[in-house]
Amino acid sequence: MANQDFSDVRHRICQAACILGLMVLAGCSSDPASIVTRPTRALPQPTLITMDNQGSIFQNATAQMLFEEAVASRVGDTLTIQIQESLTGSNKSTTNASKNGEVAFKGPGSTSSMGGVIKELFDLNVISTGSDTFKGSGQTDNANSMTGTLSVSVIDVLPNGLLEIAGSKRIAVNGDLNQLRFSGLVKKRDIKAGNVVSSQKVADVQLEQVGRGVVADANTVGWLQRTFMSVLGFD
């Protein structure tokens, strides 16, 4: 009898541990996959040294025009991205439909010799009306905006001259981490003075802002919660 009581207690303890474990897992959230697939930094490439005498000042590897401003053009160079992204979408739909119908039937009229049901049938005068109305409307508005600056690196120079850039910024405050990632393709002619380029001039932009910490966890649904919400789809 004592062994059976001990077994029941152990079984209840296991059940409580399982429930506690599920509660802990319910609060856990997995980090979403990053949309920035490129590496976010690159080291400068070594300069090839030729044996011919180029002089003590002029060097082919680093030469530039007299009035040319130095801009990012090689792997490992850095430039500043002015993030000026704004996206607004709106979709509105309105539908009105109506239908009216009328049916009338009138008999030829009875004579004095008719009576009963036949008289009522010949004197029949019936009007039937009907109407159907439908009204529907829907509207969806979506607005996203992000501004700021981010220094990125040239991670590759494509054969057509485009610069492949990528970079990230991490800011941690009191255990909360905010990370900004950016990647894309830039033309040299779009780079302004001071090695600055607007994000609106960048092609194939991949921009994301992710956070970790108490604030991010409070605004994220855990994987176990998502599972229950998808399976138990009732109020």
Side-chain angles (χ1 to χ4, degrees):
M1 186 67 179
N3 292 334
Q4 184 178 0
D5 294 340
F6 178 74
S7 178
D8 292 340
V9 172
R10 184 174 59 182
H11 181 68
R12 292 179 182 275
I13 293 175
C14 292
Q15 286 182 337
C18 291
I19 294 174
L20 181 60
L22 291 175
M23 293 175 62
V24 173
L25 289 175
C28 298
S29 60
S30 57
D31 294 334
S34 175
I35 63 174
V36 179
T37 57
R38 300 181 178 94
T40 55
R41 66 174 181 175
L43 298 178
Q45 301 298 306
T47 303
L48 296 178
I49 301 176
T50 58
M51 300 303 297
D52 57 331
N53 185 11
Q54 301 177 10
S56 60
I57 298 177
F58 177 81
Q59 298 293 327
N60 287 331
T62 58
Q64 65 183 41
M65 301 298 293
L66 181 62
F67 299 101
E68 180 184 4
E69 183 176 359
V71 297
S73 58
R74 301 178 182 87
V75 175
D77 291 348
T78 61
L79 61 139
T80 302
I81 300 294
Q82 287 183 341
I83 302 175
Q84 300 169 338
E85 296 297 324
S86 179
L87 177 62
T88 302
S90 178
N91 185 12
K92 184 177 181 180
S93 176
T94 302
T95 302
N96 292 321
S98 62
K99 180 180 180 181
N100 296 320
E102 180 176 328
V103 178
F105 178 78
K106 185 176 182 181
S110 63
T111 62
S112 58
S113 61
M114 295 179 180
V117 178
I118 297 177
K119 178 178 175 60
E120 293 179 1
L121 181 61
F122 274 74
D123 290 339
L124 187 64
N125 188 1
V126 178
I127 298 177
S128 177
T129 60
S131 63
D132 187 7
T133 303
F134 171 78
K135 292 183 179 181
S137 62
Q139 183 172 349
T140 301
D141 295 323
N142 188 9
N144 295 284
S145 178
M146 181 179 292
T147 58
T149 58
L150 176 66
S151 294
V152 298
S153 301
V154 178
I155 61 175
D156 194 10
V157 180
L158 302 184
N160 59 356
L162 292 179
L163 305 179
E164 188 174 1
I165 60 172
S168 65
K169 177 189 292 185
R170 292 185 178 185
I171 301 176
V173 178
N174 294 331
D176 289 331
L177 176 64
N178 263 323
Q179 184 170 6
L180 180 65
R181 302 188 186 101
F182 185 94
S183 66
L185 301 174
V186 174
K187 292 188 297 185
K188 294 181 182 179
R189 67 180 66 179
D190 291 330
I191 302 177
K192 300 177 182 179
N195 266 338
V196 177
V197 62
S198 171
S199 63
Q200 298 177 356
K201 297 290 186 179
V202 181
D204 192 21
V205 172
Q206 306 291 330
L207 174 62
E208 67 177 0
Q209 182 179 6
V210 294
R212 294 181 182 177
V214 177
V215 177
D217 292 341
N219 291 276
T220 304
V221 179
W223 66 268
L224 187 59
Q225 291 174 303
R226 289 196 299 268
T227 302
F228 280 115
M229 292 172 63
S230 61
V231 175
L232 305 177
F234 50 84
D235 296 333

